[in-house]
Structures are given as C-alpha cells and as structure tokens.
Amino acid sequence: MATYTQRVRDSILPLSVADTLPKAFEEWRFTGQTHDHEEHHEICQLCGQEGLRYHFEIQNDFTYHTLDVGSHCIMQFDVAVYEDGRRLSPKDARARLQKLVQKMRLESCIKSLQRLAHAESSQILAGALAYYQANKKLTPKQAFGGYAAMLSITIRRSST
C-alpha cells in the first residue's frame, strides 16, 4: 500500500511539468469551481482521501490538467487560491474555502426545501423560498410561516 506522500506524488507529477513535489505544486491553482456531491462518498484525486462531500477543482497552469480535491489538500500543499486576480495568503485562502463550503451548504438546504415544497404542494414554503432567493432574507412573517409549514409537513409525515 502506497504511503500518503507516494499517492500524492503519483497523482500530481504525471500531470505536471516539474519533477519534484514542491515545484509541481507551484504550477497548480484553485479554479474557483466547486462540486457538492450531497453525500460523503467521493475521493480526493490528489491524496486518495475517501468520504468527501465537497470537491474543489485545481488546474495546472502549463498542462491544463485538472483534479478534484478536498480543501485540506489545497491548504496542505499551498495550492494557489486567487481572488480578484490576487493570490490569497494561507489564512485568507482558508477563509475563502470555508465561505465556499457555507455557500454550498446553503444551496443544498434550499434545494432540499424546494423539493419538499413541491412534493407537499406547500405554497407557503415555496413563497418563502422564492422571496429568500430574490432578497437573501425573510421577513419575520415569512420565516414563521415557512417554519410552520415545515412543522406541519413533519407532523403529518410522522403520523402516517
């Protein structure tokens, strides 16, 4: 069984111009593309870590190869993360990746609530979600109405 370092070396060097790990990682950057697989069953294409839900795409600037990796590998190997054309410090890169994970979680929640609203024909929940998507907030009345609609659905489902 290959060691962690050997798995990383075997994954990155064939896709890079450089022939050492430190130099190879200088060729790679985070593209800004993320993927939420909604379940923890994916694998990091760099280190082989299993059980990932979120993938972050990195790309080689010379070969244009891409890999879907976990955020840990981006931080571990100091893969470049840019924002507005500026390379972020490790601290700012970590914050940027965490913000992207929060965004993916929120989008996943909204998709789940939309499916629930559709399945239950809940106009209250559908209306609250539509308002939230347009305004990025809810009025107190909508928040309570949406909560009440979800509670009603939950009670109805648990009693059947």
Side-chain angles (χ1 to χ4, degrees), residues 124-125 127-129 131 137-149:
I124 294 170
L125 186 53
L129 286 168
Y131 184 89
K137 62 182 177 180
L138 292 174
T139 66
K141 183 177 178 180
Q142 288 168 323
F144 180 75
Y147 173 75

Short mmCIF file of all heavy atoms in Angstrom, two decimals, residues 124-125 127-129 131 137-149:
data_model
loop_
_atom_site.label_atom_id
_atom_site.label_comp_id
_atom_site.label_asym_id
_atom_site.label_seq_id
_atom_site.Cartn_x
_atom_site.Cartn_y
_atom_site.Cartn_z
N ILE A 124 -46.92 28.14 0.93
CA ILE A 124 -46.30 29.00 1.95
C ILE A 124 -44.78 28.82 1.90
O ILE A 124 -44.03 29.80 1.83
CB ILE A 124 -46.84 28.68 3.35
CG1 ILE A 124 -48.32 29.05 3.44
CG2 ILE A 124 -46.04 29.42 4.43
CD1 ILE A 124 -49.00 28.57 4.70
N LEU A 125 -44.34 27.57 1.92
CA LEU A 125 -42.90 27.29 1.88
C LEU A 125 -42.30 27.72 0.55
O LEU A 125 -41.24 28.34 0.52
CB LEU A 125 -42.64 25.81 2.14
CG LEU A 125 -41.19 25.36 2.27
CD1 LEU A 125 -40.45 26.19 3.31
CD2 LEU A 125 -41.13 23.88 2.63
N GLY A 127 -43.34 30.06 -1.46
CA GLY A 127 -43.30 31.53 -1.49
C GLY A 127 -42.16 32.09 -0.65
O GLY A 127 -41.47 33.02 -1.06
N ALA A 128 -41.97 31.51 0.54
CA ALA A 128 -40.89 31.97 1.41
C ALA A 128 -39.53 31.72 0.76
O ALA A 128 -38.64 32.58 0.80
CB ALA A 128 -40.97 31.26 2.76
N LEU A 129 -39.38 30.55 0.12
CA LEU A 129 -38.11 30.24 -0.56
C LEU A 129 -37.86 31.18 -1.73
O LEU A 129 -36.74 31.64 -1.94
CB LEU A 129 -38.10 28.79 -1.02
CG LEU A 129 -37.91 27.76 0.08
CD1 LEU A 129 -38.21 26.36 -0.44
CD2 LEU A 129 -36.49 27.83 0.62
N TYR A 131 -38.96 34.23 -2.11
CA TYR A 131 -38.61 35.53 -1.57
C TYR A 131 -37.17 35.53 -1.07
O TYR A 131 -36.41 36.47 -1.33
CB TYR A 131 -39.57 35.92 -0.43
CG TYR A 131 -39.31 37.30 0.12
CD1 TYR A 131 -39.94 38.41 -0.44
CD2 TYR A 131 -38.43 37.51 1.17
CE1 TYR A 131 -39.70 39.69 0.05
CE2 TYR A 131 -38.17 38.78 1.66
CZ TYR A 131 -38.81 39.86 1.09
OH TYR A 131 -38.56 41.12 1.57
N LYS A 137 -33.01 37.17 2.35
CA LYS A 137 -33.52 37.30 3.71
C LYS A 137 -35.00 36.98 3.69
O LYS A 137 -35.62 36.92 2.63
CB LYS A 137 -33.28 38.69 4.28
CG LYS A 137 -34.00 39.80 3.50
CD LYS A 137 -33.70 41.16 4.06
CE LYS A 137 -34.39 42.22 3.20
NZ LYS A 137 -34.13 43.55 3.70
N LEU A 138 -35.57 36.77 4.87
CA LEU A 138 -37.01 36.55 5.03
C LEU A 138 -37.57 37.58 5.98
O LEU A 138 -36.88 38.04 6.89
CB LEU A 138 -37.28 35.16 5.61
CG LEU A 138 -36.96 33.95 4.75
CD1 LEU A 138 -37.16 32.66 5.55
CD2 LEU A 138 -37.82 33.93 3.50
N THR A 139 -38.82 37.94 5.75
CA THR A 139 -39.49 38.77 6.75
C THR A 139 -39.83 37.86 7.92
O THR A 139 -39.91 36.63 7.77
CB THR A 139 -40.80 39.36 6.17
OG1 THR A 139 -41.72 38.29 5.92
CG2 THR A 139 -40.55 40.16 4.89
N PRO A 140 -40.04 38.41 9.11
CA PRO A 140 -40.42 37.56 10.25
C PRO A 140 -41.67 36.72 9.95
O PRO A 140 -41.74 35.55 10.32
CB PRO A 140 -40.66 38.56 11.38
CG PRO A 140 -39.78 39.71 11.03
CD PRO A 140 -39.83 39.80 9.52
N LYS A 141 -42.64 37.31 9.27
CA LYS A 141 -43.87 36.58 8.94
C LYS A 141 -43.56 35.40 8.02
O LYS A 141 -44.08 34.30 8.22
CB LYS A 141 -44.86 37.54 8.27
CG LYS A 141 -46.19 36.91 7.94
CD LYS A 141 -47.14 37.93 7.35
CE LYS A 141 -48.47 37.28 6.99
NZ LYS A 141 -49.41 38.24 6.42
N GLN A 142 -42.69 35.60 7.02
CA GLN A 142 -42.34 34.51 6.11
C GLN A 142 -41.54 33.43 6.82
O GLN A 142 -41.75 32.24 6.60
CB GLN A 142 -41.53 35.04 4.92
CG GLN A 142 -42.34 35.85 3.95
CD GLN A 142 -41.46 36.57 2.97
OE1 GLN A 142 -40.38 37.05 3.33
NE2 GLN A 142 -41.92 36.66 1.74
N ALA A 143 -40.63 33.86 7.67
CA ALA A 143 -39.82 32.89 8.41
C ALA A 143 -40.72 32.02 9.28
O ALA A 143 -40.57 30.79 9.30
CB ALA A 143 -38.77 33.60 9.25
N PHE A 144 -41.65 32.64 9.98
CA PHE A 144 -42.55 31.87 10.82
C PHE A 144 -43.47 31.00 9.98
O PHE A 144 -43.71 29.84 10.29
CB PHE A 144 -43.37 32.78 11.74
CG PHE A 144 -44.31 32.01 12.62
CD1 PHE A 144 -43.83 31.30 13.71
CD2 PHE A 144 -45.67 31.94 12.34
CE1 PHE A 144 -44.67 30.55 14.51
CE2 PHE A 144 -46.52 31.20 13.13
CZ PHE A 144 -46.03 30.50 14.22
N GLY A 145 -43.99 31.56 8.89
CA GLY A 145 -44.88 30.80 8.00
C GLY A 145 -44.18 29.60 7.39
O GLY A 145 -44.73 28.51 7.32
N GLY A 146 -42.93 29.78 6.96
CA GLY A 146 -42.15 28.69 6.40
C GLY A 146 -41.86 27.64 7.45
O GLY A 146 -41.96 26.44 7.20
N TYR A 147 -41.52 28.09 8.67
CA TYR A 147 -41.26 27.17 9.77
C TYR A 147 -42.53 26.39 10.11
O TYR A 147 -42.50 25.17 10.28
CB TYR A 147 -40.76 27.93 10.99
CG TYR A 147 -40.64 27.08 12.22
CD1 TYR A 147 -39.60 26.16 12.36
CD2 TYR A 147 -41.59 27.16 13.24
CE1 TYR A 147 -39.50 25.35 13.48
CE2 TYR A 147 -41.49 26.36 14.37
CZ TYR A 147 -40.44 25.46 14.47
OH TYR A 147 -40.35 24.67 15.58
N ALA A 148 -43.65 27.09 10.18
CA ALA A 148 -44.92 26.44 10.49
C ALA A 148 -45.29 25.43 9.41
O ALA A 148 -45.78 24.34 9.71
CB ALA A 148 -46.02 27.49 10.65
N ALA A 149 -45.05 25.78 8.15
CA ALA A 149 -45.35 24.85 7.05
C ALA A 149 -44.49 23.60 7.16
O ALA A 149 -44.98 22.48 6.99
CB ALA A 149 -45.14 25.54 5.70
#
